Structures are given as C-alpha cells and as structure tokens.
Amino acid sequence: SEAIKEAKATIEIQGEDGRQIAKLFTTSSSIEPKEWKELVAEWETGNITHGLYYAIIVLEYDGKFDSYERTFTLGTPNVKIKDVRVRNFELGQVAKFEISVESEWSELIDDLYADLKIQDSTGKIVSEGKSATTKIAPLSTVALEAFWDTKGHSSGFYTATITLHYKGKVKENKVDLEVTLDQIKTSLVA
C-alpha cells in the first residue's frame, strides 16, 4: 500500500426532515501505510435542538472519494415542568393538579407520566398518586393531571414532589403548596 498525501472530509449534517443544518470541513492530513489518523471538524451546537441527526461524510484522499452515512443523537431527551395549577378547589374535595410539561427534545416522547406525592409541614406523606401515561410531541407542551383527595386535611403549608418519568429517565421537582379553604397556591422550587 501507498501513503496518502492528503486526506480530508466534508460532513453535511441534516435534521430528521432531511434539511441541511450545517456543513463542516475537517482538517487535512497525510497518512502513511498502516497508520491511523483522525480528521477533525468542529461544530458549535449551543443553539442546536437536541435530537436525532443524520451525517453524510464525503472523504477525499488523493483525488479519490468515498462517502459514508451515519445517524447520531445530540444530547439526551429532556422535559421540564413549566407550571403547576389547581383550579376550582374546595378543601375537603379532590384537588386536580394540572402539570404543564415542556419537551426540549426533537423527537416524540411516548411514555411520559408523573408521580405526585404530597407531604404535610412535618414531612409526613399524606397522599400519593400518578398521572396517566401520555405522549408529548417534539418541542411542545402537554398537561398532565394528578389528583389529591383533601378530605380530612386542613389548610396550611404542604410540599408536593412531582416526579416525571420518560424514556427511562426520572426527574424530580418540588412544589410548595399553600392550601386555603378555596384554593391551592403553587410555587415551583428552583
């Protein structure tokens, strides 16, 4: 085998829809027989949505061309709670928690649900529940519903722990609750 005087590559990055997101050019290098060299291209991904991408690599070496295609994932699936609300509440009745969840992932998440655990001011668990499992479209928002039967509970301060489950991931969020006779004020804890 012979040495390669110059090898370099062009990489076209495409989104799931096939549109070009970026075109990258690698460093170039000579390569001796039986030697392995890495060609490097840099891509600033700070403003790129996490998700599945497609790369078309065209390798050029001494006037010859080879092409390769690969799929790859940038980042990991992520969702976050945007808001938690309880409407039309009366103490002693069932409170419906509306949990607004936003997807920061460019693919469908089809297994999202939330666990809701309520603790009183002493830390005692007074209720545990779960939302239905739902789908959330790419880069969109969905409302999950979970319930707390407040019969036998008094007004005061409580803590809700909302645990999101999706794509094998678990994300826990705390919400401070102020319960009065006719409303539950919610405050997401940073």
Side-chain angles (χ1 to χ4, degrees):
S1 35
E2 295 180 23
I4 295 172
K5 293 180 184 130
E6 182 183 39
K8 60 185 178 182
T10 304
I11 305 166
E12 181 180 324
I13 308 292
Q14 297 177 350
E16 284 187 277
D17 58 4
R19 288 192 329 206
Q20 180 176 308
I21 305 286
K23 192 165 192 172
L24 312 173
F25 302 93
T26 68
T27 55
S28 62
S29 182
S30 61
I31 305 172
E32 293 301 316
K34 299 187 187 209
E35 183 180 39
W36 187 90
K37 288 261 179 105
E38 191 172 87
L39 303 176
V40 178
E42 291 189 20
W43 181 29
E44 178 53 54
T45 60
N47 295 326
I48 304 295
T49 303
H50 290 191
L52 188 66
Y53 291 89
Y54 188 64
I56 300 169
I57 303 111
V58 177
L59 177 65
E60 180 183 352
Y61 55 101
D62 293 343
K64 298 177 184 147
F65 296 88
D66 279 328
S67 64
Y68 305 90
E69 298 177 4
R70 298 283 185 271
T71 57
F72 66 96
T73 302
L74 180 63
T76 59
N78 191 45
V79 298
K80 66 179 180 182
I81 293 178
K82 288 188 60 137
D83 191 29
V84 178
R85 289 195 177 153
V86 178
R87 301 175 210 250
N88 306 320
F89 172 73
E90 275 184 54
L91 187 61
Q93 301 298 314
V94 175
K96 178 171 84 171
F97 285 76
E98 297 171 9
I99 306 160
S100 178
V101 179
E102 179 181 53
S103 173
E104 298 176 333
W105 188 240
S106 69
E107 295 178 56
L108 175 73
I109 294 173
D110 61 1
D111 61 350
L112 173 67
Y113 71 93
D115 288 326
L116 173 67
K117 179 172 68 175
I118 309 287
Q119 293 172 278
D120 66 16
S121 58
T122 68
K124 178 184 172 197
I125 296 171
V126 297
S127 178
E128 291 186 271
K130 178 180 169 181
S131 75
T133 300
T134 191
K135 297 177 181 178
I136 183 168
L139 307 173
S140 67
T141 303
V142 69
L144 299 175
E145 294 178 351
F147 301 89
W148 172 27
D149 185 351
T150 65
K151 185 176 182 180
H153 297 290
S154 58
S155 58
F157 294 94
Y158 294 81
T159 301
T161 303
I162 300 172
T163 307
L164 300 175
H165 299 265
Y166 60 98
K167 295 284 186 199
K169 296 183 78 171
V170 176
K171 189 177 218 179
E172 189 174 280
N173 300 266
K174 299 275 188 198
V175 182
D176 288 334
L177 307 177
E178 183 181 350
V179 178
T180 64
L181 291 176
D182 62 358
Q183 80 181 71
I184 296 179
K185 291 181 185 172
T186 63
S187 176
L188 282 166
V189 178

